[in-house]
Amino acid sequence: MFKVGKVSYLNTVPLFYRFEDPMIELVEGEPSYLVSLLRYGKIHAGIVSSVEYLFNRSQYRVVSGLCIASKQRVCSVLLFSKRPMLEIKRVYLTPASLTSKILCKHLLEDVYKLKPEYVESRESADALLLIGDDALYEKRLGKFEYVYDLAEEWHKVYSLPFVFALFLVRKDADPSLDRLIEELALKSIKAFYEDFAQGRVKVEGFSRDELKDYFYHCIDYFLDEEKERSLELFGSLAYNHR
Ligand SMILES: C=C(O[C@@H]1C=C(C(=O)O)C=C[C@H]1O)C(=O)O
């Protein structure tokens, strides 16, 4: 039996839409939790934060061609702020994330040349980094005057897509697992988009228009050469923020 980690957010619904096999057991959780399970061998594989691969390459194989990325906007990695970007002083970074936290630090410190204090409580912060469904729900509440999409910020600077997560397989796992994951995920994505186009997909808590914007204009699942280039660039910039 293979244990495979699945991020428990809207963004993985297409990847796991038909991800059923007698050999596979899914384990759900937030990205940082899944990374710790994978690192310590409690699961064999999972779609997890891309920085885990960038910092510990020798431990993993990457399932080819698949990722969670965005071409421009991602819509669910958002910095919510009471002040304009250049005036941000105290930042809360969600502990659910690894990649987006580092992306946020890179943008604030290296691109915008700020020296923010990172605080543990939301209440004392003037800006909050949230990811996944937490970010999508917070946006709806409309409590913050400034909302920055971090993939869009990355794109403004580098004109590149951004890769948030990769399907990693532990090197000590059976080699047949990579192929099985690739097949099931590709089958899932195809079935999801076919069903969505036919109006057959419903996800509790989200309207059809919200889903359409998210899955057609924000999230992208295909790891191509441009995304690999972006990943390597991020790897070289991320090192100072680990
Ligand atoms: C786009 C997203 O990508 C995620 C962001 C991750 C991270 O920041 O470590 C990890 C997995 C992905 O689910 C999101 O969660 O909204």
Side-chain angles (χ1 to χ4, degrees):
M1 200 73 173
F2 299 122
K3 291 192 176 182
V4 176
K6 168 183 187 260
V7 171
S8 50
Y9 298 152
L10 181 63
N11 61 27
T12 59
V13 169
L15 284 172
F16 290 88
Y17 193 61
R18 292 285 179 268
F19 206 101
E20 284 135 32
D21 188 277
M23 288 299 287
I24 288 194
E25 182 191 328
L26 294 179
V27 177
E28 290 207 32
E30 291 183 333
S32 53
Y33 169 69
L34 292 181
V35 166
S36 62
L37 293 184
L38 188 62
R39 208 180 277 170
Y40 298 110
K42 308 274 185 216
I43 56 178
H44 301 94
I47 182 98
V48 297
S49 308
S50 52
V51 289
E52 177 60 7
Y53 172 69
L54 293 171
F55 295 154
N56 300 297
R57 288 176 199 248
S58 62
Q59 307 299 308
Y60 303 111
R61 299 188 297 263
V62 178
V63 174
S64 64
L66 292 166
C67 62
I68 296 176
S70 69
K71 292 205 177 87
Q72 205 157 332
R73 298 186 285 147
V74 66
C75 303
S76 56
V77 175
L78 301 175
L79 185 65
F80 295 90
S81 181
K82 296 176 186 162
R83 314 154 179 258
M85 181 79 93
L86 294 177
E87 293 170 25
I88 291 174
K89 294 202 166 44
R90 284 180 306 280
V91 184
Y92 169 87
L93 302 169
T94 172
S97 157
L98 296 183
T99 300
S100 309
K101 266 163 78 165
I102 293 185
L103 173 60
C104 187
K105 287 181 171 177
H106 166 63
L107 291 167
L108 294 176
E109 297 176 31
D110 306 333
V111 175
Y112 291 101
K113 309 291 180 202
L114 305 174
K115 290 192 172 51
E117 185 190 342
Y118 298 104
V119 297
E120 299 286 317
S121 83
R122 290 184 181 217
E123 290 68 34
S124 57
D126 45 35
L128 310 178
L129 170 72
L130 300 179
I131 69 165
D133 298 8
D134 292 344
L136 296 171
Y137 291 140
E138 186 65 51
K139 176 111 195 271
R140 267 192 207 158
L141 299 176
K143 288 192 300 200
F144 289 85
E145 195 174 345
Y146 302 91
V147 181
Y148 300 97
D149 183 312
L150 295 196
E152 200 173 20
E153 293 297 318
W154 170 265
H155 190 272
K156 272 193 219 161
V157 184
Y158 302 107
S159 303
L160 284 170
F162 191 83
V163 181
F164 288 92
L166 295 167
F167 250 123
L168 302 184
V169 181
R170 284 177 59 89
K171 276 214 177 136
D172 56 12
D174 191 302
S176 66
L177 181 54
D178 308 43
R179 187 87 192 109
L180 184 57
I181 289 175
E182 189 186 346
E183 275 173 23
L184 292 172
L186 288 175
K187 182 169 94 175
S188 294
I189 294 169
K190 187 167 179 284
F192 176 87
Y193 281 94
E194 277 171 13
D195 281 2
F196 193 88
Q198 308 266 331
R200 288 200 294 257
V201 173
K202 289 205 168 49
V203 182
E204 213 187 302
F206 298 94
S207 70
R208 183 166 169 82
D209 284 349
E210 284 172 322
L211 296 176
K212 192 164 180 190
D213 188 45
Y214 194 56
F215 291 123
Y216 284 79
H217 302 297
C218 300
I219 295 287
D220 185 291
Y221 297 107
F222 298 105
L223 185 60
D224 56 16
E225 187 271 328
E226 197 185 32
K227 294 199 189 79
E228 279 172 7
R229 224 164 4 104
S230 175
L231 190 64
E232 292 307 326
L233 172 65
F234 182 60
S236 63
L237 299 167
Y239 220 80
N240 296 334
H241 301 292
R242 50 184 312 186

